[in-house]
Amino acid sequence: MNFKDGIVILLTKQEYMQRLYKALKPLSKENRNKVMNDYELQFSQEMKNGKTEQDIIYDLGSPEDAAEYFINMYQSDRGYHDHYNIEQASNKNSSTAHSWEAAIWGTLSIIIVPTMIAIMLAFFALGIAFCIAGMVMVFSSFILNSLSIGFFFIAVAGVFLSVFGIFIAILSIYDGIKLIGKYFRFIRNRIKYGGKAK
């Protein structure tokens, strides 16, 4: 489940902590409070570092999955060691979300990237068409070899059209490649960092 786009991202810190406390019910009160205190500390430290509640909740993952991790850990007598286990639990939870997100964005890329390339090539072809049309206009005015003002303006317009066409063709390739690069960086950030810029 993609927790960032699902229910968890809609939770506030208070709601998240309530659900975590409820899900930790199989633990003793002492162990449950220990986990809750460490999560409170985790929220406090991360918010001091500039993260929002939503960012922290996304990193921590589902409160039910986190609770299941700690319950299994206590039941297997592996013990509990402060924030290292919070990090392990959140990595376990968010890895599933990131896997789903990677699959979704990978599938969308099969449609989006060829569409972006097609649009880029369409603008490039349009630019080349303008350029050719302009050259034809210039060439035609020279072939007609007329000194009239009308043919002179046709030649000047042809030159401007050719320059405009070349400009569109170059710009479409440049901006197209730049846009595709930004798109892939966006996907990398979504998958690796949960959409947060790095």
Side-chain angles (χ1 to χ4, degrees), residues 151-180:
F151 285 110
F152 173 74
F153 279 123
I154 289 173
V156 171
V159 169
F160 277 112
L161 193 60
S162 293
V163 170
F164 180 67
I166 291 169
F167 174 75
I168 288 179
I170 291 171
L171 197 65
S172 65
I173 294 296
Y174 174 77
D175 281 348
I177 291 170
K178 203 160 111 176
L179 188 63
I180 290 169

Side-chain angles (χ1 to χ4, degrees), residues 72-110:
N72 289 337
M73 186 174 60
Y74 276 110
Q75 287 176 348
S76 64
D77 294 326
R78 280 182 285 162
Y80 178 75
H81 302 288
D82 299 329
H83 310 293
Y84 297 106
N85 287 322
I86 290 180
E87 187 176 333
Q88 289 168 12
S90 64
N91 287 342
K92 174 181 176 289
N93 296 335
S94 62
S95 65
T96 304
H98 289 167
S99 297
W100 276 104
E101 193 158 10
I104 290 166
W105 281 107
T107 305
L108 285 175
S109 295
I110 295 170

Side-chain angles (χ1 to χ4, degrees), residues 119-190:
I119 292 169
M120 177 182 73
L121 292 177
F123 275 101
F124 178 77
L126 182 66
I128 295 299
F130 279 145
C131 183
I132 291 170
M135 286 190 288
V136 167
M137 287 169 68
V138 172
F139 186 67
S140 296
S141 17
F142 281 114
I143 289 290
L144 294 172
N145 198 18
S146 174
L147 297 176
S148 72
I149 195 76
F151 285 110
F152 173 74
F153 279 123
I154 289 173
V156 171
V159 169
F160 277 112
L161 193 60
S162 293
V163 170
F164 180 67
I166 291 169
F167 174 75
I168 288 179
I170 291 171
L171 197 65
S172 65
I173 294 296
Y174 174 77
D175 281 348
I177 291 170
K178 203 160 111 176
L179 188 63
I180 290 169
K182 281 184 178 179
Y183 174 75
F184 280 116
R185 282 194 298 276
F186 168 76
I187 290 176
R188 182 199 64 192
N189 288 343
R190 288 287 304 185

Side-chain angles (χ1 to χ4, degrees), residues 5-100:
D5 298 323
I7 297 170
V8 173
I9 201 64
L10 300 175
L11 297 177
T12 63
K13 175 196 165 186
Q14 183 181 357
E15 290 168 335
Y16 185 93
M17 296 298 281
Q18 286 172 350
R19 280 175 56 172
L20 179 62
Y21 189 78
K22 184 179 177 182
L24 289 168
K25 191 174 181 180
L27 295 181
S28 67
K29 188 174 181 180
E30 180 187 352
N31 290 336
R32 194 193 307 192
N33 288 338
K34 189 185 293 186
V35 174
M36 294 301 294
N37 289 338
D38 281 341
Y39 267 76
E40 282 286 355
L41 186 60
Q42 182 83 358
F43 268 100
S44 176
Q45 288 176 339
E46 294 290 353
M47 290 178 82
K48 282 180 185 175
N49 292 334
K51 283 191 175 183
T52 65
E53 283 186 6
Q54 299 301 302
D55 289 337
I56 299 165
I57 289 170
Y58 176 60
D59 290 339
L60 293 174
S62 161
E64 287 77 19
D65 287 346
E68 183 183 353
Y69 171 84
F70 289 111
I71 291 164
N72 289 337
M73 186 174 60
Y74 276 110
Q75 287 176 348
S76 64
D77 294 326
R78 280 182 285 162
Y80 178 75
H81 302 288
D82 299 329
H83 310 293
Y84 297 106
N85 287 322
I86 290 180
E87 187 176 333
Q88 289 168 12
S90 64
N91 287 342
K92 174 181 176 289
N93 296 335
S94 62
S95 65
T96 304
H98 289 167
S99 297
W100 276 104

